Amino acid sequence: MGLVLYDTLQRAKVDFVPATPGHVGIYACGPTVYADPHLGHARGPVVYDVLRRYFLHRGYKVRFISNITDVGHLTDDADGGEDKIERRAKLERLEPMEVAEKYTWSYFDAMAALNVLRPSIAPRASGHIPEQIELAERLLKLGFAYERKGSVYFRVRAFPEYGKLSGKRLEELRAGARVEVREEKEDPLDFALWKAAEPGHLMRWRSPWGEGYPGWHIECTAMSLKYLGEGFDIHAGGIDLQFPHHECEIAQAEAAGYRFARHWLHHNHVLLEGEKMAKSTGRLVLLHDLLRAHEPMALRFYLLQTHYRSPMDFTFTGLEAAKRGYARLLQAYREVREKRRTAAPGTTPELERALDALERDFLAAIEDDLGTPEALAALFAFLPELHKLLPEAKGDTLERTAQVFHTLGEGLLGLFPERVLEEKVSGPLLEGLIALLLELREEARRAKDYAKGDLIRERLKALGVVVEDTKEGPRWRLEAS
Ligand SMILES: Nc1ncnc2c1ncn2[C@@H]1O[C@H](COP(=O)(O)OP(=O)(O)OP(=O)(O)O)[C@@H](O)[C@H]1O
Ligand SMILES: [Zn+2]
């Protein structure tokens, strides 16, 4: 069986067939970098990372593009309000590009902690102004756009297929559209490809229409076509982007005469108390706070426990349960790795059969529209069998078991990076252990067992921990090496 994906454009699950055999091109809309990322921002990247890992597992060459929006995204998500980056720059008294840089790295760091593979390219909108101008010029020449006072708008009426992705009808949209004061547009549905910069607007570039900045939608059309070419395989993003962002992307590309994305994937939202987690509303849990307090892989596991097309309500209770689930899997994997060192060579047929079933069920789940909850369920279903057979299991089968854990758990789900497999003793634990030894030493001295007290001090010294007795009690420091 091959991969089946739910394509928003076709409103059905479809067989995935790449445009070029052996290659896959994916474009996933990235964040607007004006604040630290929240948990919602991790969902798309983690899900599409599994998609990418699946293709890698199947031997495809994957080009994965995820943009950084550092210009053009206005506060009302349409053509009004302030630029989100610029508003933040004024608040923080920074250059707009300082804001973008700061939060781009905040985002990248969080993604690295979550074991998300780095995009092949993470193009910035501000680095692709000429490409966006060129596309706007082409649309003007073809009659799909018009200029008004230095701004360029897309003429939605000229593109009858507008609405085909989101299933919205033009007439309904028009009836509900807000007509702005000083409206420059021919039609309230028209959207900006380029905006004239008002006096005082910081982010501005020269264009054939005067100084200005690009609209939000045009960056993704320009950059996806530049790096993935016409008719690329998959375009992905959150469901909030279906309309207007992705609808506009399609209109811009196809009106300009380019074949655009062949498949559209949309992930549902992470919610907080029933509503979308979002920067603009402040209803959020920051990723960095979660990553500091919890094992990042447990957080990744938590995100993968819900199917990407279902909403996911974040709760701390849910996260705690996910931590326990993840710990069970990790512990089983560690035990297998430990046991295989000492096991006698040979195979254990019963365990081999359980592994066959696991691999089959796991891959079937992933291939059915990225069924990560079912894939995790297949791993859990394997555990009782594993625990039963582990004590007597033979080396060759254990070697395969470790390999299967690695391939499915890390290769495909990205849940077991080397870091979590090493049982290293780190800072807080070490300090706790030294404190415990010093307490035992004090106890020995109080019981006048000076020999034991000295022994503890000598042994610590041999390890490079110097203990000094002061009036306030014993203190320790590391010997300078
Ligand atoms: N709560 C969420 N759950 C899942 N995905 C989300 C969530 N919020 C944003 N995203 C996705 O993250 C990406 C970046 O979105 P963006 O930077 O516009 O974030 P945002 O928090 O929605 O911002 P704002 O609240 O200002 O609209 C998009 O693909 C968007 O769909
Ligand atoms: Zn986009």
Side-chain angles (χ1 to χ4, degrees):
M1 205 182 101
L3 177 67
V4 167
L5 292 172
Y6 184 87
D7 182 346
T8 315
L9 191 57
Q10 299 182 48
R11 289 172 183 66
K13 283 188 183 177
V14 297
D15 289 327
F16 176 80
V17 182
T20 311
H23 294 256
V24 184
I26 305 173
Y27 186 95
C29 287
T32 305
V33 281
Y34 69 95
D36 286 316
H38 56 67
L39 181 63
H41 294 125
R43 190 171 194 194
V46 165
V47 165
Y48 305 130
D49 190 51
V50 171
L51 179 64
R52 180 179 181 185
R53 286 167 181 266
Y54 167 80
F55 285 126
L56 292 172
H57 173 74
R58 287 294 193 206
Y60 286 90
K61 281 198 78 169
V62 185
R63 182 174 289 170
F64 188 96
I65 312 286
S66 187
N67 65 302
I68 295 289
T69 299
D70 59 0
V71 64
H73 196 170
L74 304 186
T75 42
D76 74 352
D77 281 345
D79 297 333
E82 262 183 291
D83 185 293
K84 293 188 181 194
I85 310 268
E86 192 156 322
R87 186 177 60 169
R88 187 65 178 233
K90 284 177 191 154
L91 277 172
E92 293 196 25
R93 293 174 180 273
L94 296 171
E95 276 288 320
M97 281 301 130
E98 262 180 305
V99 170
E101 198 67 12
K102 176 174 166 187
Y103 294 112
T104 297
W105 281 101
S106 167
Y107 172 74
F108 282 162
D109 287 348
M111 292 307 116
L114 284 167
N115 203 21
V116 171
L117 300 172
R118 276 193 211 152
S120 321
I121 308 174
R124 271 78 159 170
S126 65
H128 297 75
I129 302 293
E131 287 84 350
Q132 297 174 76
I133 291 178
E134 200 180 307
L135 185 56
E137 280 185 308
R138 190 177 167 104
L139 289 166
L140 272 171
K141 208 180 309 155
L142 292 169
F144 284 101
Y146 54 92
E147 188 208 332
R148 287 281 182 285
K149 298 184 192 153
S151 294
V152 179
Y153 295 100
F154 186 91
R155 185 176 277 131
V156 167
R157 196 180 308 133
F159 187 74
E161 291 185 56
Y162 190 82
K164 68 177 172 183
L165 178 73
S166 54
K168 293 190 191 290
R169 287 223 293 277
L170 285 188
E171 285 322 308
E172 284 165 22
L173 286 172
R174 200 163 282 128
R178 183 158 34 104
V179 181
E180 288 157 36
V181 217
R182 285 179 39 231
E183 185 63 270
E184 304 177 337
K185 301 176 189 177
E186 288 175 0
D187 180 334
L189 292 187
D190 293 350
F191 57 90
L193 303 173
W194 185 264
K195 292 270 281 184
E198 319 229 309
H201 194 97
L202 299 173
M203 286 189 282
R204 50 169 72 223
W205 288 264
R206 244 175 274 151
S207 81
W209 318 288
E211 287 201 355
Y213 56 95
W216 172 35
H217 315 304
I218 198 166
E219 62 169 283
C220 289
T221 306
M223 298 193 296
S224 58
L225 285 171
K226 176 178 170 106
Y227 294 115
L228 296 174
E230 273 194 73
F232 63 87
D233 295 301
I234 296 172
H235 195 313
I239 47 165
D240 54 317
L241 301 185
Q242 244 176 62
F243 187 87
H245 186 55
H246 290 162
E247 198 72 63
C248 296
E249 277 193 50
I250 293 178
Q252 293 164 152
E254 294 187 354
Y258 300 120
R259 280 176 297 112
F260 204 43
R262 294 166 58 245
H263 300 294
W264 286 84
L265 255 58
H266 290 99
H267 65 272
N268 214 315
H269 288 143
V270 173
L271 313 178
L272 193 59
E273 288 157 0
E275 276 179 53
K276 179 189 179 239
M277 213 181 256
K279 291 194 286 255
S280 48
T281 57
R283 169 185 285 279
L284 51 81
V285 184
L286 287 177
L287 256 182
H288 290 291
D289 291 341
L290 289 171
L291 291 169
R292 254 193 301 274
H294 309 275
E295 166 54 50
M297 290 305 96
L299 201 58
R300 183 172 169 119
F301 174 94
Y302 184 34
L303 288 167
L304 293 176
Q305 270 185 315
T306 309
H307 188 255
Y308 77 97
R309 286 195 291 122
S310 304
M312 173 185 160
D313 217 332
F314 171 80
T315 61
F316 282 100
T317 327
L319 177 56
E320 287 306 323
K323 280 166 81 170
R324 289 192 294 275
Y326 177 70
R328 277 179 60 207
L329 283 184
L330 180 60
Q331 187 53 30
Y333 186 9
R334 281 181 178 163
E335 279 171 26
V336 169
R337 281 166 53 103
E338 185 61 37
K339 185 83 205 312
R340 79 178 161 173
R341 291 203 196 111
T342 49
T347 57
T348 308
E350 242 184 304
L351 190 51
E352 293 279 346
R353 278 194 295 278
L355 285 168
D356 292 342
L358 167 60
E359 285 184 307
R360 186 194 59 223
D361 295 349
F362 185 101
L363 278 169
I366 295 291
E367 290 187 332
D368 183 8
D369 194 27
L370 301 178
T372 54
E374 292 78 14
L376 288 171
L379 278 172
F380 281 109
F382 170 69
L383 292 190
E385 199 69 0
L386 175 67
H387 290 313
K388 190 179 87 190
L389 300 170
L390 193 60
E392 305 301 325
K394 296 287 198 313
D396 297 288
T397 303
L398 284 177
E399 196 55 48
R400 179 179 167 209
T401 314
Q403 196 54 47
V404 168
F405 262 104
H406 176 73
T407 305
L408 307 184
E410 168 59 16
L412 281 144
L413 296 182
L415 286 172
F416 301 124
E418 227 16 69
R419 173 182 68 74
V420 298
L421 297 174
E422 297 163 1
E423 293 179 79
K424 265 206 226 121
V425 181
S426 67
L429 177 54
L430 262 185
E431 293 193 11
L433 288 174
I434 297 175
L436 174 66
L437 282 168
L438 292 186
E439 255 177 67
L440 291 174
R441 176 169 171 263
E442 286 308 290
E443 216 167 83
R445 278 151 53 103
R446 272 197 298 276
K448 306 225 176 326
D449 186 352
Y450 297 111
K452 193 185 276 172
D454 289 346
L455 178 70
I456 292 176
R457 196 181 56 191
E458 288 315 309
R459 295 291 289 273
L460 278 172
K461 185 160 192 307
L463 292 168
V465 180
V466 182
V467 179
E468 285 159 0
D469 291 306
T470 71
K471 271 189 259 144
E472 290 85 41
R475 288 232 189 98
W476 66 269
R477 62 177 170 83
L478 290 184
E479 203 168 37
S481 51

